[in-house]
PDB file of all heavy atoms in Angstrom:
ATOM      1  N   HIS A  28     115.376 107.436 106.050  1.00  0.00           N
ATOM      2  CA  HIS A  28     114.001 107.371 106.584  1.00  0.00           C
ATOM      3  C   HIS A  28     113.696 108.500 107.571  1.00  0.00           C
ATOM      4  O   HIS A  28     112.640 109.022 107.616  1.00  0.00           O
ATOM      5  CB  HIS A  28     113.752 105.990 107.214  1.00  0.00           C
ATOM      6  CG  HIS A  28     113.836 104.855 106.252  1.00  0.00           C
ATOM      7  ND1 HIS A  28     112.853 104.670 105.300  1.00  0.00           N
ATOM      8  CD2 HIS A  28     114.773 103.972 106.007  1.00  0.00           C
ATOM      9  CE1 HIS A  28     113.250 103.597 104.561  1.00  0.00           C
ATOM     10  NE2 HIS A  28     114.421 103.181 104.944  1.00  0.00           N
ATOM     11  N   SER A  29     114.623 108.895 108.349  1.00  0.00           N
ATOM     12  CA  SER A  29     114.404 109.892 109.369  1.00  0.00           C
ATOM     13  C   SER A  29     115.842 110.479 109.815  1.00  0.00           C
ATOM     14  O   SER A  29     116.763 109.716 110.095  1.00  0.00           O
ATOM     15  CB  SER A  29     113.702 109.349 110.517  1.00  0.00           C
ATOM     16  OG  SER A  29     113.481 110.362 111.532  1.00  0.00           O
ATOM     17  N   LEU A  30     115.870 111.780 109.824  1.00  0.00           N
ATOM     18  CA  LEU A  30     117.194 112.449 110.107  1.00  0.00           C
ATOM     19  C   LEU A  30     116.935 113.751 110.908  1.00  0.00           C
ATOM     20  O   LEU A  30     115.933 114.482 110.691  1.00  0.00           O
ATOM     21  CB  LEU A  30     118.007 112.806 108.994  1.00  0.00           C
ATOM     22  CG  LEU A  30     118.601 111.716 108.159  1.00  0.00           C
ATOM     23  CD1 LEU A  30     119.271 112.223 106.815  1.00  0.00           C
ATOM     24  CD2 LEU A  30     119.677 111.027 109.035  1.00  0.00           C
ATOM     25  N   GLU A  62     109.267 115.248 113.694  1.00  0.00           N
ATOM     26  CA  GLU A  62     108.928 114.577 114.912  1.00  0.00           C
ATOM     27  C   GLU A  62     109.812 114.883 115.979  1.00  0.00           C
ATOM     28  O   GLU A  62     111.037 114.737 115.822  1.00  0.00           O
ATOM     29  CB  GLU A  62     108.835 113.081 114.707  1.00  0.00           C
ATOM     30  CG  GLU A  62     108.533 112.228 115.864  1.00  0.00           C
ATOM     31  CD  GLU A  62     108.816 110.762 115.601  1.00  0.00           C
ATOM     32  OE1 GLU A  62     108.759 110.241 114.549  1.00  0.00           O
ATOM     33  OE2 GLU A  62     108.893 110.042 116.741  1.00  0.00           O
ATOM     34  N   LYS A  63     109.334 115.487 117.070  1.00  0.00           N
ATOM     35  CA  LYS A  63     110.192 115.901 118.228  1.00  0.00           C
ATOM     36  C   LYS A  63     110.563 114.583 119.021  1.00  0.00           C
ATOM     37  O   LYS A  63     109.777 113.765 119.348  1.00  0.00           O
ATOM     38  CB  LYS A  63     109.351 116.837 119.137  1.00  0.00           C
ATOM     39  CG  LYS A  63     110.274 117.713 119.919  1.00  0.00           C
ATOM     40  CD  LYS A  63     110.889 118.780 119.036  1.00  0.00           C
ATOM     41  CE  LYS A  63     111.246 119.932 119.959  1.00  0.00           C
ATOM     42  NZ  LYS A  63     112.475 120.578 119.466  1.00  0.00           N
ATOM     43  N   ARG A  64     111.862 114.427 119.256  1.00  0.00           N
ATOM     44  CA  ARG A  64     112.433 113.354 120.114  1.00  0.00           C
ATOM     45  C   ARG A  64     113.448 114.033 121.041  1.00  0.00           C
ATOM     46  O   ARG A  64     114.499 114.329 120.627  1.00  0.00           O
ATOM     47  CB  ARG A  64     113.128 112.306 119.285  1.00  0.00           C
ATOM     48  CG  ARG A  64     112.245 111.548 118.321  1.00  0.00           C
ATOM     49  CD  ARG A  64     112.938 110.437 117.596  1.00  0.00           C
ATOM     50  NE  ARG A  64     112.349 110.105 116.324  1.00  0.00           N
ATOM     51  CZ  ARG A  64     113.032 109.518 115.381  1.00  0.00           C
ATOM     52  NH1 ARG A  64     114.305 109.205 115.438  1.00  0.00           N
ATOM     53  NH2 ARG A  64     112.335 109.253 114.284  1.00  0.00           N
ATOM     54  N   GLY A  65     113.003 114.198 122.263  1.00  0.00           N
ATOM     55  CA  GLY A  65     113.905 114.878 123.216  1.00  0.00           C
ATOM     56  C   GLY A  65     114.047 116.374 122.727  1.00  0.00           C
ATOM     57  O   GLY A  65     113.012 117.045 122.451  1.00  0.00           O
ATOM     58  N   LYS A  66     115.303 116.813 122.661  1.00  0.00           N
ATOM     59  CA  LYS A  66     115.604 118.190 122.136  1.00  0.00           C
ATOM     60  C   LYS A  66     115.607 118.336 120.689  1.00  0.00           C
ATOM     61  O   LYS A  66     115.669 119.480 120.176  1.00  0.00           O
ATOM     62  CB  LYS A  66     116.823 118.671 122.816  1.00  0.00           C
ATOM     63  CG  LYS A  66     116.873 118.837 124.368  1.00  0.00           C
ATOM     64  CD  LYS A  66     118.152 119.307 124.818  1.00  0.00           C
ATOM     65  CE  LYS A  66     118.126 119.415 126.424  1.00  0.00           C
ATOM     66  NZ  LYS A  66     119.377 119.922 126.900  1.00  0.00           N
ATOM     67  N   ASN A  67     115.719 117.305 119.967  1.00  0.00           N
ATOM     68  CA  ASN A  67     115.847 117.379 118.508  1.00  0.00           C
ATOM     69  C   ASN A  67     114.485 117.005 117.716  1.00  0.00           C
ATOM     70  O   ASN A  67     113.718 116.213 118.261  1.00  0.00           O
ATOM     71  CB  ASN A  67     116.885 116.270 118.098  1.00  0.00           C
ATOM     72  CG  ASN A  67     118.281 116.582 118.559  1.00  0.00           C
ATOM     73  OD1 ASN A  67     118.667 117.756 118.652  1.00  0.00           O
ATOM     74  ND2 ASN A  67     119.004 115.639 119.145  1.00  0.00           N
ATOM     75  N   SER A  68     114.468 117.605 116.586  1.00  0.00           N
ATOM     76  CA  SER A  68     113.393 117.248 115.618  1.00  0.00           C
ATOM     77  C   SER A  68     114.022 116.319 114.588  1.00  0.00           C
ATOM     78  O   SER A  68     115.124 116.505 114.052  1.00  0.00           O
ATOM     79  CB  SER A  68     112.813 118.487 114.975  1.00  0.00           C
ATOM     80  OG  SER A  68     112.178 119.292 115.918  1.00  0.00           O
ATOM     81  N   TYR A  69     113.214 115.288 114.262  1.00  0.00           N
ATOM     82  CA  TYR A  69     113.640 114.323 113.166  1.00  0.00           C
ATOM     83  C   TYR A  69     112.657 114.512 112.046  1.00  0.00           C
ATOM     84  O   TYR A  69     111.474 114.526 112.287  1.00  0.00           O
ATOM     85  CB  TYR A  69     113.720 112.959 113.738  1.00  0.00           C
ATOM     86  CG  TYR A  69     114.951 112.611 114.571  1.00  0.00           C
ATOM     87  CD1 TYR A  69     115.050 113.143 115.862  1.00  0.00           C
ATOM     88  CD2 TYR A  69     116.057 112.097 114.120  1.00  0.00           C
ATOM     89  CE1 TYR A  69     116.113 112.952 116.678  1.00  0.00           C
ATOM     90  CE2 TYR A  69     117.134 111.856 114.858  1.00  0.00           C
ATOM     91  CZ  TYR A  69     117.164 112.246 116.197  1.00  0.00           C
ATOM     92  OH  TYR A  69     118.286 112.118 116.961  1.00  0.00           O
ATOM     93  N   TYR A  70     113.268 114.552 110.882  1.00  0.00           N
ATOM     94  CA  TYR A  70     112.468 114.812 109.669  1.00  0.00           C
ATOM     95  C   TYR A  70     112.346 113.569 108.854  1.00  0.00           C
ATOM     96  O   TYR A  70     113.230 112.757 108.661  1.00  0.00           O
ATOM     97  CB  TYR A  70     113.157 115.871 108.774  1.00  0.00           C
ATOM     98  CG  TYR A  70     113.131 117.236 109.502  1.00  0.00           C
ATOM     99  CD1 TYR A  70     114.086 117.618 110.393  1.00  0.00           C
ATOM    100  CD2 TYR A  70     112.053 118.151 109.403  1.00  0.00           C
ATOM    101  CE1 TYR A  70     114.113 118.818 111.123  1.00  0.00           C
ATOM    102  CE2 TYR A  70     112.014 119.299 110.111  1.00  0.00           C
ATOM    103  CZ  TYR A  70     113.072 119.638 110.923  1.00  0.00           C
ATOM    104  OH  TYR A  70     112.968 120.770 111.678  1.00  0.00           O
ATOM    105  N   SER A  71     111.084 113.276 108.304  1.00  0.00           N
ATOM    106  CA  SER A  71     110.866 112.189 107.425  1.00  0.00           C
ATOM    107  C   SER A  71     110.047 112.623 106.324  1.00  0.00           C
ATOM    108  O   SER A  71     109.337 113.680 106.367  1.00  0.00           O
ATOM    109  CB  SER A  71     110.237 111.021 108.174  1.00  0.00           C
ATOM    110  OG  SER A  71     109.004 111.388 108.806  1.00  0.00           O
TER     111      SER A  71
END
Side-chain angles (χ1 to χ4, degrees):
H28 301 283
S29 179
L30 287 172
E62 177 188 340
K63 204 75 162 148
R64 295 185 206 157
K66 293 181 180 181
N67 295 317
S68 292
Y69 285 79
Y70 295 87
S71 57

